[in-house]
Amino acid sequence: MQWRSLLLGLLLLRLGLQVLLGLLPALAPGLCLRRRFPFPFPPPPAALGPPGAAAGPGSSHWGSLLRRGGGGGAGGDEYERRYSGAFPPQLRARLRDAARGMFVFGYDSYMQHAFPRDELDPLHCSGRGPDRQDPSNLNINDVLGNYSLTLIDALDTLAVMGNSSEFQKAVKLVIDTVSFDKDSTVQVFEATIRVLGSLLSAHIIITDTKQPFGDMTIKDYDNELLHMARDLAVRLLPAFENTKTGIPYPRVNLKKGVPPDGNNETCTAGAGSLLVEFGILSRLLGDSTFEWVARRAVKALWSLRSNNTGLLGNVVNIQTGHWVGKQSGLGAGSDSFYEYLLKSYILFGEKEDLEMFNDAYRNIQNHLRRGREACNEGEGDPPLYVNVNMFTGQLMNTWIDSLQAFFPGLQVLIGDVEDAICLHAFYYAIWKRYGALPERYNWQLQAPDVPFYPLRPELVESTYLLYQATKNPFYLHVGMDILQSLEKYTKAKCGYATLHHVVEKTKEDRMESFFLSETCKYLYLLFDEENPLHKSGNKYMFTTEGHIVSVDERFRNSLWQDILPGEVDSAEKIKPNELKAVNFSSNCNRVPDERRYLLPLKSNYMRQIDQMVGLI
């Protein structure tokens, strides 16, 4: 690869200079072996806006807080000066409030200009629903079902931010105004993670006897959200019928079932990432149906992996089991399949799920991972996960997509923190270059292949989880950069808008619901150290849509071991106090105090990554 050629050249140059110094010691004081690269940020403690951008609102004041708080050392190189040292609590509080303000502006704009429609158009201050004129417009119709999507998706964010009055008002609005008896054809995956997951999360919050986020109870609440979740799930069940493999159809009409012209091809993530929400619903209701169909789909996909590599492709025919898309990667089409193998184990304690995940993770390391063996030592390219052919393990292309930025967060959950640090740094370097993540980035050309950014949360999610695991202030700086970029480049008249082009910074008139359910939530939690989610003693897990669910005994008990094939005996299941997922604050103090304020990745490796993405 070009990286290796570049590194070899630099090594030869360094060796030559060292020989020259040995021959000419008298000249050594006049030589500088370390090239001073032009740094892509204004060095602290100056304004801290996104790279190449003027300081955003309030940036200079945040910079003054860094000066007073002692953040950033006077010595060391540029990276150490920018990122090392303590992060002032006053600055952190201001960033927490800024993240809350971002959510409030987006949420209030939706409620004022778009509700009860599904999404907000932030440029024209209006709402949008399904595209009835063009059923083939899947970018819209897969997601929007004419059921106030953004309101539903944002419910638990209101609770996490402690806004009990608005949470209660929003829940009542959902109960009183939302119906799933609609002639809408939606993607099963999107309806599950955005709508079903949020209804279940809000129900769990309402019925929690401890009420850690404040009083989120609803007067005369009679499990309405749980009943709505069941109603929606029942309407999704036809997708699992009349399929020879058990893998569901990708889309279903909420009134009529699978369309007569239903597509027989689906992606691995879409079909295999339903188990968390369907499993929670089954265990709350005591009805095995939903978990059974979701688990059957996972096992069907798992049985189709390559005998040679153990990898799965990204698109499969649900009738024949033939792989239509043979690309194996960690981004779109595959991402949450791996995520939910692990999270299903964390939540339900089924060791079978962990065994599948461990096998999958081992195959990913063997066939997708490129670069040096260790993140923070040794020579060679930094670790990167590429797209390969599922049968041969051979490289298929030279791009990665923004969804793959979730993977460092998943690595944190299994304790592979060092590797997570390197991969996160690569995506952060791309963010620094553009002030956003392009949907698809070509690492060989050092340029976006698909240049839009729809306000995705994956980099923020991984940043939050890495901070929880390391408590390293570096990740607070990353969060500050992301927050400022969003304010500078995506803020619109009525909310926040998709970037049509990350280089030109042109906008599209769309604010996807995950901006409120995930992006704003993870930013807020990153800066809110005292949030009940961190301090209450409860254990929580985030779904792939960022909805919080409590990890407790009731989800580890099921009454249908005899019905679900291949399940282990309940005595062999993991117990709540055996869980060691590191997004729980009690398990996150893994970094010794003496390393707490050092860079998580050595500055020479950070510089190497910045070179790789064209920053320097």
Side-chain angles (χ1 to χ4, degrees):
M1 290 190 294
Q2 292 179 349
W3 306 347
R4 293 189 174 90
S5 300
L6 175 61
L7 283 172
L8 181 60
L10 290 172
L11 286 171
L12 291 173
L13 176 61
R14 181 177 179 180
L15 288 172
L17 287 171
Q18 287 176 333
V19 171
L20 180 61
L21 283 176
L23 294 173
L24 301 172
L27 295 179
L31 294 177
C32 180
L33 290 181
R34 187 183 68 193
R35 176 185 171 192
R36 292 192 174 275
F37 296 101
F39 198 64
F41 315 103
L48 295 171
S59 296
S60 59
H61 184 61
W62 292 349
S64 68
L65 284 174
L66 273 175
R67 286 193 290 273
R68 291 198 301 270
D77 67 6
E78 300 95 332
Y79 295 88
E80 291 171 349
R81 289 198 300 270
R82 175 169 170 80
Y83 296 115
S84 294
F87 201 88
Q90 308 99 309
L91 175 57
R92 187 168 183 165
R94 287 186 177 275
L95 292 167
R96 176 202 62 208
D97 293 344
R100 181 196 287 118
M102 179 178 289
F103 171 83
V104 169
F105 181 56
Y107 177 84
D108 286 351
S109 295
Y110 166 78
M111 293 304 296
Q112 180 179 350
H113 301 289
F115 177 80
R117 306 195 76 184
D118 287 307
E119 279 184 352
L120 170 68
D121 288 351
L123 302 183
H124 289 96
C125 301
S126 59
R128 75 164 73 194
D131 186 352
R132 304 296 191 193
Q133 303 301 314
D134 183 9
S136 67
N137 185 1
L138 300 181
N139 185 43
I140 295 296
N141 293 329
D142 271 358
V143 178
L144 309 189
N146 194 22
Y147 38 39
S148 302
L149 171 66
T150 297
L151 176 63
I152 294 176
D153 215 358
L155 289 177
D156 69 309
T157 307
L158 290 166
V160 166
M161 293 186 178
N163 192 341
S164 58
S165 60
E166 190 60 34
F167 174 79
Q168 292 162 344
K169 175 183 174 184
V171 168
K172 291 174 182 176
L173 268 177
V174 169
I175 293 171
D176 293 341
T177 66
V178 173
S179 168
F180 299 122
D181 189 26
K182 299 289 177 66
D183 187 13
S184 298
T185 300
V186 296
Q187 192 183 83
V188 175
F189 170 72
E190 295 290 358
T192 297
I193 66 168
R194 299 200 197 201
V195 183
L196 181 61
S198 188
L199 292 172
L200 293 171
S201 176
H203 170 76
I204 291 168
I205 291 169
I206 293 167
T207 56
D208 187 346
T209 57
K210 298 178 181 178
Q211 289 296 302
F213 301 104
D215 184 8
M216 301 292 163
T217 59
I218 305 294
K219 185 179 179 181
D220 299 323
Y221 181 70
D222 190 24
N223 297 327
E224 286 91 345
L225 295 186
L226 181 60
H227 298 320
M228 292 180 70
R230 183 187 181 280
D231 177 47
L232 174 60
V234 167
R235 295 173 186 274
L236 299 178
L237 284 179
F240 296 87
E241 300 170 0
N242 301 317
T243 158
K244 295 177 182 178
T245 61
I247 301 170
Y249 285 90
R251 297 173 186 87
V252 67
N253 184 284
L254 296 178
K255 262 185 181 293
K256 305 171 185 175
V258 175
D261 58 349
N263 191 352
N264 283 323
E265 295 175 2
T266 190
C267 69
T268 303
S273 305
L274 310 172
L275 184 52
V276 166
E277 288 83 3
F278 275 48
I280 292 172
L281 181 62
S282 274
R283 293 173 189 237
L284 288 176
L285 294 173
D287 180 350
S288 65
T289 303
F290 308 102
E291 181 174 346
W292 190 87
V293 296
R295 191 170 289 279
R296 182 182 62 172
V298 171
K299 291 181 179 180
L301 287 165
W302 187 247
S303 71
L304 298 175
R305 65 195 187 281
S306 166
N307 291 328
N308 181 38
T309 65
L311 298 174
L312 292 87
N314 60 344
V315 180
V316 67
N317 186 295
I318 65 171
Q319 303 296 351
T320 66
H322 173 72
W323 288 106
V324 180
K326 299 175 179 62
Q327 176 176 297
S328 188
L330 299 177
S334 300
D335 50 353
S336 54
F337 175 80
Y338 304 112
E339 177 186 3
Y340 268 21
L341 289 179
L342 180 61
K343 289 186 175 180
S344 295
Y345 168 67
I346 291 172
L347 196 59
F348 306 130
E350 307 290 354
K351 291 189 176 181
E352 176 186 43
D353 296 332
L354 181 63
E355 290 168 357
M356 286 190 286
F357 175 81
N358 284 338
D359 195 12
Y361 192 74
R362 184 164 46 250
N363 294 328
I364 287 168
Q365 297 300 314
N366 289 338
H367 298 288
L368 273 62
R369 191 183 188 277
R370 301 291 191 270
R372 62 179 176 267
E373 183 176 350
C375 170
N376 240 333
E377 60 184 36
E379 302 291 339
D381 300 331
L384 184 67
Y385 293 83
V386 298
N387 300 316
V388 304
N389 183 290
M390 65 171 290
F391 296 110
T392 66
Q394 297 299 307
L395 185 71
M396 286 194 70
N397 49 59
T398 59
W399 53 259
I400 53 178
D401 65 52
S402 63
L403 287 169
Q404 187 181 322
F406 92 99
F407 197 66
L410 188 65
Q411 291 181 303
V412 167
L413 295 184
I414 59 169
D416 197 356
V417 178
E418 288 295 324
D419 208 60
I421 285 170
C422 255
L423 187 58
H424 174 274
F426 183 78
Y427 278 94
Y428 175 46
I430 299 172
W431 185 283
K432 286 186 292 185
R433 181 173 178 184
Y434 300 108
L437 276 186
E439 189 73 352
R440 187 179 290 178
Y441 176 81
N442 192 306
W443 45 262
Q444 187 175 56
L445 301 178
Q446 296 185 352
D449 274 356
V450 180
F452 73 90
Y453 169 66
L455 307 173
R456 289 202 188 277
E458 284 74 17
L459 179 61
V460 190
E461 174 188 4
S462 289
T463 302
Y464 165 70
L465 291 171
L466 270 164
Y467 178 75
Q468 288 298 310
T470 66
K471 297 301 181 184
N472 193 306
F474 170 81
Y475 296 106
L476 300 178
H477 285 278
V478 174
M480 180 166 63
D481 279 351
I482 293 173
L483 194 154
Q484 289 183 310
S485 295
L486 291 170
E487 283 289 341
K488 181 174 180 61
Y489 298 126
T490 71
K491 193 169 187 177
K493 182 179 179 182
C494 301
Y496 294 83
T498 292
L499 282 183
H500 177 71
H501 201 292
V502 297
V503 177
E504 299 168 359
K505 302 297 187 293
T506 49
K507 296 183 178 74
E508 289 184 17
D509 198 12
R510 187 176 188 185
M511 186 180 84
E512 293 229 33
S513 66
F514 51 66
F515 177 69
L516 299 182
S517 70
E518 298 185 79
T519 308
C520 292
K521 180 188 289 144
Y522 285 125
L523 276 172
Y524 179 79
L525 287 171
L526 175 64
F527 298 117
D528 188 18
E529 185 78 4
E530 301 303 316
N531 192 277
L533 191 141
H534 304 139
K535 296 292 187 180
S536 68
N538 290 5
K539 294 180 173 66
Y540 294 96
M541 188 188 78
F542 296 96
T543 71
T544 195
E545 185 72 6
H547 300 306
I548 61 169
V549 293
S550 55
V551 180
D552 55 47
E553 186 65 38
R554 60 180 161 167
F555 296 132
R556 242 160 258 99
N557 293 327
S558 62
L559 303 176
W560 49 80
Q561 278 78 23
D562 56 330
I563 300 176
L564 295 177
E567 293 232 3
V568 298
D569 185 83
S570 59
E572 299 177 21
K573 294 184 181 182
I574 190 169
K575 295 183 173 127
N577 58 1
E578 294 174 347
L579 287 171
K580 297 297 181 185
V582 296
N583 61 335
F584 306 152
S585 58
S586 60
N587 297 322
C588 287
N589 297 318
R590 293 185 166 206
V591 178
D593 287 340
E594 60 268 21
R595 285 190 57 197
R596 185 61 53 83
Y597 300 118
L598 299 177
L599 292 173
L601 185 63
K602 294 174 184 175
S603 58
N604 58 311
Y605 292 132
M606 283 193 174
R607 184 174 294 108
Q608 178 193 34
I609 290 173
D610 283 353
Q611 287 176 305
M612 283 171 45
V613 302
L615 264 173
I616 53 179

